[in-house]
Amino acid sequence: MYIPPAFRDDDHESLSATIRAARLATLVTATAEGPLATPLPLFLDETEGEQGVIYGHVAKANPQWRAPPLGEGLAIFMGPDAYVTPAWYQTKQETGKVVPTWNYVAVHAYGPVEFFEDADRLLDVVTRLTNLHEVGLASSWAVSDAPMDFIQAQLKGIVGLRMPITRLEGKRKMSQNRNAADRAGVASGLAASDRPSDREVAPLIPS
């Protein structure tokens, strides 16, 4: 990932927070058949390894797990993002020398990918992933709510993945390269947007 110095995020807690907040990630592996990518929910276990371990699962019918990875895998986690119109810049009024851009948060996690079919490990991953996303729902569901023989049958249709993190890259592009007046215009414009995702980005713009 190309990261200009102004946008680099090296804070481990910030990177972990982005990973934890991402509801859907993308797993990418290089293989002899070319690059393979799958969008899927992943979770971070920060109690394992120096930088944590990423877990998830793919469908057994997905060819990605059958193709041996060449080198490390890549998990892409996206945070808040928003289009930025030049109309919000003070510089537009002064010189007109402005262009559109996109503000966003992204974390790339790298590490060796292990795929596994062990039923006990799969049940643990599915349970932890389910619990993570069921928290806060008015009417929640647990894996244990379903008959165990049904769950065991469902586990036969998936393959687990484990990726110990060896390297993290973080990018927080939030108009840091603009002057204070332009940043204030961006924050104001995003805060007034009809898009909830734009309003989520607004408070991330530095003053």
Side-chain angles (χ1 to χ4, degrees), residues 11-22 42-55 77 107 109 124 128 132 162-165 168:
D11 181 74
H12 186 77
E13 178 51 38
S14 173
L15 301 177
S16 296
T18 297
I19 292 175
R20 291 193 300 267
L42 299 171
F43 69 86
L44 172 64
D45 187 334
E46 297 181 80
T47 68
E48 290 190 54
E50 294 185 4
Q51 300 191 71
V53 175
I54 290 170
Y55 285 97
F77 300 87
V107 173
D124 177 66
R128 294 167 70 183
L132 177 66
R162 179 180 185 272
M163 190 181 87
I165 298 174
L168 286 170

Side-chain angles (χ1 to χ4, degrees), residues 6-146:
F7 305 142
R8 182 173 298 278
D9 185 358
D10 289 323
D11 181 74
H12 186 77
E13 178 51 38
S14 173
L15 301 177
S16 296
T18 297
I19 292 175
R20 291 193 300 267
R23 298 182 62 80
L24 191 71
T26 301
L27 175 71
V28 182
T29 52
T31 76
E33 303 169 15
L36 297 176
T38 300
L40 72 171
L42 299 171
F43 69 86
L44 172 64
D45 187 334
E46 297 181 80
T47 68
E48 290 190 54
E50 294 185 4
Q51 300 191 71
V53 175
I54 290 170
Y55 285 97
H57 61 83
V58 299
K60 186 167 285 188
N62 186 331
Q64 186 171 12
W65 75 275
R66 295 184 183 277
L70 301 177
E72 294 186 324
L74 163 65
I76 302 173
F77 300 87
M78 296 300 299
D81 69 277
Y83 172 76
V84 177
T85 172
W88 292 334
Y89 293 151
Q90 178 64 36
T91 302
K92 175 183 180 295
Q93 314 303 324
E94 298 171 351
T95 69
K97 297 179 180 180
V98 291
V99 293
T101 191
W102 209 281
N103 280 352
Y104 60 90
V105 175
V107 173
H108 286 187
Y110 300 85
V113 177
E114 170 201 354
F115 292 105
F116 59 88
E117 297 181 77
D118 179 79
D120 290 337
R121 294 178 69 189
L122 282 172
L123 179 60
D124 177 66
V125 167
V126 169
T127 299
R128 294 167 70 183
L129 190 60
T130 299
N131 292 345
L132 177 66
H133 292 289
E134 289 284 336
V135 169
L137 296 181
S139 179
S140 61
W141 181 86
V143 172
S144 58
D145 290 343

